[in-house]
Structure formats: structure tokens, C-alpha cells
Amino acid sequence: MSDFSSKTLTLGRYLISPLIRSTDCGDYSASVSIKSGRGSATHDRVLRLVGRFRTAEGAQSHALAKAIEYIRPRFGAAGVLFPHTQGAE
């Protein structure tokens, strides 16, 4: 299996980092790290996602969507998210 670099996304106080891997079958799997806090108060939730994808881009899009779905309720009634993309496109 190979790991692929993927872009990170900052949404409010959260840093979202997808991890995309190629499988032995030639498709891709996805996980995503959702970090918040600083120093000893840092929390990192890692979601291992179900599903296989034909492309690394498809797996990455799925991972980002699931992370946003996970953190959206934590933004209160407004539910407004303003993404700031970091890393290579």
C-alpha cells in the first residue's frame, strides 16, 4: 500500500488532514484526522472511513466531506464554515 499526500483544510479551530492509501487491489481507501486545540490540550480524532474509491481524488473528497459532516454540529446554529486550504492543489 502507498500513502498519498493530500491537502489539509483549516475550518475554524479544526485542522482536517485526509490520509489516502492505495490498496493491494488498485483502488483507494480513506481516513481523516481532525485536530483541535494546542499543546497539552490538543485533541486528534481519526476517522477510518468505509468504502473504496477508483481515484485518490475521490477518496480525498470523501474524507473531507465526512470531516466537515463530523464538525458541522460544533459550529452552532449558524453552521457557517469558511475553509482555508493549505498545501498543494
Side-chain angles (χ1 to χ4, degrees), residues 33-69:
S33 165
I34 304 168
K35 291 183 185 179
S36 64
R38 291 180 188 228
S40 63
T42 299
H43 298 278
D44 188 1
R45 167 83 55 181
V46 178
L47 306 176
R48 293 180 67 184
L49 304 171
V50 176
R52 295 291 183 257
F53 304 88
R54 291 183 189 171
T55 66
E57 294 80 11
Q60 181 173 293
S61 292
H62 181 72
L64 290 172
K66 289 298 182 182
I68 291 168
E69 183 179 302

Side-chain angles (χ1 to χ4, degrees), residues 1-87:
M1 285 198 253
S2 299
D3 292 345
F4 293 89
S5 295
S6 40
K7 62 178 143 182
T8 61
L9 186 68
T10 302
L11 293 174
R13 64 185 185 133
Y14 298 97
L15 176 65
I16 301 170
S17 303
L19 175 62
I20 309 308
R21 293 182 161 202
S22 64
T23 68
D24 294 336
C25 299
D27 52 8
Y28 298 88
S29 64
S31 299
V32 64
S33 165
I34 304 168
K35 291 183 185 179
S36 64
R38 291 180 188 228
S40 63
T42 299
H43 298 278
D44 188 1
R45 167 83 55 181
V46 178
L47 306 176
R48 293 180 67 184
L49 304 171
V50 176
R52 295 291 183 257
F53 304 88
R54 291 183 189 171
T55 66
E57 294 80 11
Q60 181 173 293
S61 292
H62 181 72
L64 290 172
K66 289 298 182 182
I68 291 168
E69 183 179 302
Y70 178 82
I71 66 172
R72 186 175 299 278
R74 291 149 181 83
F75 274 83
V80 178
L81 301 175
F82 297 100
H84 178 268
T85 304
Q86 300 174 343

